[in-house]
Amino acid sequence: MRVLAFLDGTLANPEVPHIRVDDLGLLRGDGIFETVLIAGGKPRELRPHLDRLARSASMLDLPEPDDDAWQRVTQLVLDNWTAGDEFALKLVYTRGVEGDPTAAPTGFAMGLPIDDKVIRARAEGVAAVTLDRGIDPGLAERSPWLLLGAKSLSYAINMAAVREAARRGASDVIFTATDGSVLEGPTSNVVVARGRTLYTPPATIGILPGTTQAAVFRGAERIGWTTKIEPLSVEDLRDNDGLFLASSVRKLTRVHTLDGQELPDSSGVHAELAKAYEDVYA
Amino acid sequence: MRVLAFLDGTLANPEVPHIRVDDLGLLRGDGIFETVLIAGGKPRELRPHLDRLARSASMLDLPEPDDDAWQRVTQLVLDNWTAGDEFALKLVYTRGVEGDPTAAPTGFAMGLPIDDKVIRARAEGVAAVTLDRGIDPGLAERSPWLLLGAKSLSYAINMAAVREAARRGASDVIFTATDGSVLEGPTSNVVVARGRTLYTPPATIGILPGTTQAAVFRGAERIGWTTKIEPLSVEDLRDNDGLFLASSVRKLTRVHTLDGQELPDSSGVHAELAKAYEDVYA
């Protein structure tokens, strides 16, 4: 099933068209989004997701999202979802119709079932490849018009990178910067475990601040782990006790193979961290 | 007026929704486009535009566009346009509905009136700023998954750059690479005149091959100019007899001010080249 609701509070049939061909979200990828996990019938990290939506809006000079309206539309989709207590909720906010300065932004929330592929990735982990993102870690702060770290609808590169991974026999990607530092996945944050410390790179290098990564860090801290937000190098992707990708719907996913080479088994570390993450919501 | 026709040959009302919320063109900026100038009732450079559409499709692993269907839908919009003999024709081709592997791509052509702002820019020229694009000229060939040089729907950066230009009192942008070489505008190619030679950078550095730039070069060659496709440096943007941005709808537009500094008057050169370009279609 799919449940669709617009920001004005109207439910709509997702199987029929609702978007004009001249919506700038379509014509220019000019908009932003969030994907929220609904588990046990409740949204996870909704506050951080809405904060990040507002941050992305600001980076794209979009009107500030109406926080109350997004909370209401989230609840509306939840109230109308009848296919189990776990699903993905997509929030989409575009600049609206081209050439009409009075046009309101287009905003909707859509509930979607979770793919079997995602369920498998959670259990079995994924093979990933490193791919050059072609930028240096200082670029985001120097050149904000490049929208590095905004969750925009302009995700064609991210999708192309995943197709490149498939060509290389993998299903996910870790982007690297020109100086060999680690950035993020196309739809995830990179988390490295070493001893009882978790690492992830800082958002200032031009990546999305991770909502799930932050939740995993909170959970790990509760069970006595140390967490560090600091630059990682490609060497750190191998020199560790566990390499993970954190994303809302896939949660903390183990990377079992990197660039075609099997990594040491990190299932034990993964199990401990996955439990710590779930316990955040217990 | 606006005239909308889908790739299957059906005319549609552009004022009502035709796109599903889960179209990947919207959700991921996952699609491609072209903008064709219709002048004197005829499409200009339709063949190069359709060739470039096919090139972009290949870069994004989209199904090969049906060339005949695009020609037919172009003609259909032309046949139904009644608001004068000059307008813009947008061709849009997306990956279609998410999660449905049998879904056909979404394809449509839309006729749009030409903005007053564009008409003014043709006559008066524009102020532009240089903005760092954060990439090096070898990146496109090294890392094709970055889709540099594909005309994708993921144009949020291009739009953000134009907003940054507006904040700096200008209306257009010339992107530069990390080594100081000149790339392109967000929706145009850079052309420099020096003596009776025209220069533009090669597409291999990760920019769109220009349809209008190529037409201007053909026109200039016919009146005895030399044309060169070679790397340009930011110094070349000042050290010349004319700096121009070439794009389908704006044609060859003079840059009269760069980074807040007025450039020497190039109206004479512009008039000669603009005539040579028009004569290509005479």
Side-chain angles (χ1 to χ4, degrees):
Chain A
M1 90 177 286
R2 296 193 164 197
V3 172
L4 172 64
F6 283 89
L7 198 52
D8 65 4
T10 53
L11 281 168
N13 177 359
E15 310 282 326
V16 302
H18 295 285
I19 305 294
R20 285 173 53 142
V21 294
D22 50 3
D23 192 290
L24 287 162
L26 176 70
L27 291 183
R28 299 296 196 182
D30 197 2
I32 55 178
F33 76 104
E34 286 291 327
T35 308
V36 183
L37 175 64
I38 313 295
K42 285 184 196 149
R44 287 192 172 176
E45 307 300 320
L46 183 59
R47 186 69 263 143
H49 279 294
L50 292 180
D51 288 346
R52 195 168 65 180
L53 190 77
R55 179 179 177 271
S56 296
S58 164
M59 291 176 77
L60 269 79
D61 303 308
L62 285 164
E64 190 183 343
D66 178 341
D67 203 83
D68 291 342
W70 285 106
Q71 295 201 41
R72 281 195 304 271
V73 77
T74 295
Q75 193 56 50
L76 184 60
V77 173
L78 259 73
D79 292 343
N80 286 275
W81 183 269
T82 56
D85 65 357
E86 188 177 32
F87 63 100
L89 176 74
K90 204 167 265 249
L91 310 178
V92 176
Y93 187 59
T94 87
R95 203 176 300 277
V97 168
E98 182 178 43
D100 178 358
T102 68
T106 302
F108 62 84
M110 179 167 46
L112 300 156
I114 292 174
D115 241 37
D116 288 346
K117 242 176 26 189
V118 169
I119 306 289
R120 264 203 311 281
R122 284 181 187 168
E124 298 166 12
V126 294
V129 295
T130 53
L131 289 181
D132 180 18
R133 184 66 181 72
I135 58 172
D136 72 85
L139 185 62
E141 296 201 328
R142 257 188 354 258
S143 304
W145 50 85
L146 298 177
L147 305 180
L148 294 165
K151 203 167 170 71
S152 88
L153 295 173
S154 286
Y155 255 42
I157 288 177
N158 304 49
M159 301 297 101
V162 172
R163 290 193 300 275
E164 177 65 19
R167 275 190 283 269
R168 299 183 185 195
S171 68
D172 216 322
V173 172
I174 295 176
F175 282 126
T176 57
T178 45
D179 68 347
S181 60
V182 170
L183 295 169
E184 62 188 345
T187 60
S188 64
N189 289 88
V190 176
V191 173
V192 161
R194 194 180 294 129
R196 290 184 66 80
T197 304
L198 283 184
Y199 300 84
T200 200
T204 46
I205 61 174
I207 62 175
L208 283 185
T211 54
T212 305
Q213 166 268 315
V216 168
F217 275 36
R218 288 205 314 277
E221 284 163 10
R222 285 199 198 170
I223 57 166
W225 285 57
T226 303
T227 62
K228 291 194 176 171
I229 296 179
E230 59 181 47
L232 295 174
S233 67
V234 282
E235 291 74 35
D236 293 319
L237 298 178
R238 296 188 177 280
D239 176 21
N240 60 51
D241 300 306
L243 171 62
F244 310 100
L245 295 172
S247 68
S248 297
V249 177
R250 280 188 309 178
K251 305 182 178 178
L252 191 71
T253 304
R254 202 160 53 90
V255 178
H256 57 60
T257 307
L258 186 66
D259 290 330
Q261 198 185 322
E262 205 177 323
L263 300 176
D265 182 22
S266 64
S267 335
V269 180
H270 179 255
E272 181 179 353
L273 291 169
K275 180 173 184 312
Y277 161 78
E278 291 299 333
D279 286 348
V280 167
Y281 308 100
Chain B
M1 88 178 286
R2 296 191 163 196
V3 172
L4 172 64
F6 283 88
L7 198 51
D8 65 3
T10 52
L11 281 169
N13 177 359
E15 309 282 326
V16 302
H18 295 285
I19 305 294
R20 286 172 53 141
V21 292
D22 50 4
D23 192 291
L24 287 162
L26 176 69
L27 291 183
R28 300 294 197 182
D30 197 2
I32 55 178
F33 75 104
E34 287 290 327
T35 307
V36 183
L37 175 64
I38 313 295
K42 284 184 198 151
R44 287 193 171 175
E45 306 300 320
L46 183 60
R47 185 70 261 144
H49 280 293
L50 292 179
D51 289 346
R52 196 168 64 179
L53 190 77
R55 178 178 178 271
S56 296
S58 163
M59 291 177 77
L60 269 80
D61 303 308
L62 284 165
E64 191 182 343
D66 177 342
D67 203 83
D68 290 342
W70 284 106
Q71 296 201 43
R72 281 194 303 269
V73 77
T74 295
Q75 194 55 48
L76 184 60
V77 173
L78 259 73
D79 291 344
N80 285 276
W81 184 269
T82 56
D85 66 356
E86 186 177 34
F87 63 100
L89 177 74
K90 203 166 267 248
L91 310 178
V92 176
Y93 187 59
T94 87
R95 202 175 301 276
V97 168
E98 181 178 42
D100 178 359
T102 67
T106 302
F108 62 85
M110 179 167 45
L112 299 156
I114 291 174
D115 241 35
D116 288 347
K117 242 175 27 190
V118 169
I119 306 289
R120 266 202 312 279
R122 285 180 186 168
E124 298 166 14
V126 294
V129 295
T130 53
L131 289 181
D132 178 18
R133 184 66 180 74
I135 58 172
D136 72 84
L139 184 63
E141 296 201 328
R142 258 188 352 258
S143 304
W145 50 85
L146 298 177
L147 305 180
L148 295 164
K151 203 167 170 71
S152 88
L153 296 173
S154 286
Y155 254 42
I157 289 177
N158 304 50
M159 301 297 101
V162 172
R163 289 193 300 275
E164 176 66 19
R167 274 190 284 269
R168 300 183 185 195
S171 67
D172 216 323
V173 173
I174 295 176
F175 282 126
T176 57
T178 45
D179 68 346
S181 60
V182 170
L183 294 169
E184 62 190 343
T187 59
S188 64
N189 290 88
V190 176
V191 173
V192 162
R194 194 179 294 127
R196 290 183 66 79
T197 304
L198 283 184
Y199 300 83
T200 199
T204 47
I205 61 173
I207 62 175
L208 283 183
T211 54
T212 305
Q213 166 269 315
V216 168
F217 275 36
R218 289 206 313 276
E221 284 163 9
R222 285 198 198 169
I223 58 167
W225 285 57
T226 303
T227 62
K228 291 194 176 171
I229 296 178
E230 59 181 46
L232 295 175
S233 67
V234 280
E235 292 74 36
D236 293 319
L237 298 178
R238 295 187 178 280
D239 175 22
N240 59 53
D241 300 307
L243 170 64
F244 310 99
L245 295 172
S247 67
S248 297
V249 176
R250 281 187 309 178
K251 304 182 178 178
L252 190 71
T253 303
R254 201 161 53 90
V255 178
H256 57 60
T257 307
L258 185 67
D259 291 329
Q261 198 185 323
E262 205 176 325
L263 300 176
D265 181 22
S266 64
S267 335
V269 179
H270 179 255
E272 181 179 353
L273 292 169
K275 181 173 185 312
Y277 160 78
E278 292 298 333
D279 286 348
V280 167
Y281 308 101

